Amino acid sequence: ELARALMERGCTVQTVMTDAAREFIQPLTFAALTGNKVITGLFGDGSAAEVLASSVEHIRVAQENRLLIVAPATADLLAKFAHGLAGDFLSTLYLAFEGLVLLCPAMNTAMWEHPATQANLEILRQRGHHILPPEAGALACGTVGAGRLPEPARIAEVSIRMLTQRHDLD
């Protein structure tokens, strides 16, 4: 839904999926929807040339894009980003990325409220990243509280606003 909402607003979408994301949805879904290759790992599976090309693909993707949206941003990803850990494509892309960053946390309420998560969010805010807080409601774990991913239309709206803000005097 988010990819579709962004594309309806004129954006080109490059999808990066972590191993955990692939447990929920197949990359083919995003490839068909966006018309772009879905990046699922740091290194290619094919020939030596493909593996070599993929070894610096995170740099190319970082340079070609103006906005990095992480939705959902798990507690694990927030911690990796806050502390500069880079063991997969998304975290290496993040370290190489110099554009705008929109983080959309989604997790259990206790995880969201945990001091470690809040400390990681503060580090990321200090870097100038935009945090779109989770919404309250019924969660996948069966509890009710803050932790739901914001609606895709809301994420797309915030993304477009970030991309179109003018900073003439910067």
Side-chain angles (χ1 to χ4, degrees), residues 61-78:
V61 173
Q63 292 171 342
E64 290 179 353
N65 292 281
R66 294 177 38 214
L67 174 63
L68 173 63
I69 304 168
V70 182
T74 63
D76 180 62
L77 277 173
L78 296 172

Side-chain angles (χ1 to χ4, degrees), residues 93-155:
L93 168 63
Y94 169 75
L95 288 179
F97 193 74
E98 295 179 336
L100 301 166
V101 176
L102 173 60
L103 302 169
C104 305
M107 63 197 73
N108 169 271
T109 304
M111 294 171 72
W112 169 249
E113 294 174 349
H114 194 281
T117 301
Q118 293 303 310
N120 290 333
L121 287 164
E122 185 54 34
I123 290 169
L124 296 166
R125 280 187 194 98
Q126 288 176 7
R127 288 188 192 147
H129 301 336
H130 187 87
I131 313 292
L132 187 57
E135 296 177 354
L139 305 176
C141 62
T143 62
V144 176
R148 290 177 55 92
L149 183 69
E151 290 297 321
R154 173 85 175 114
I155 298 171

Side-chain angles (χ1 to χ4, degrees), residues 30-86:
F30 285 110
L33 181 65
T34 65
N36 290 318
K37 168 187 158 186
V38 176
I39 300 170
T40 58
L42 261 176
F43 301 104
D45 298 340
S47 67
E50 181 184 327
V51 171
L52 180 60
S54 68
S55 69
V56 293
E57 189 172 25
H58 59 287
I59 303 299
R60 181 189 57 77
V61 173
Q63 292 171 342
E64 290 179 353
N65 292 281
R66 294 177 38 214
L67 174 63
L68 173 63
I69 304 168
V70 182
T74 63
D76 180 62
L77 277 173
L78 296 172
K80 285 179 181 178
F81 288 3
H83 299 285
L85 302 176

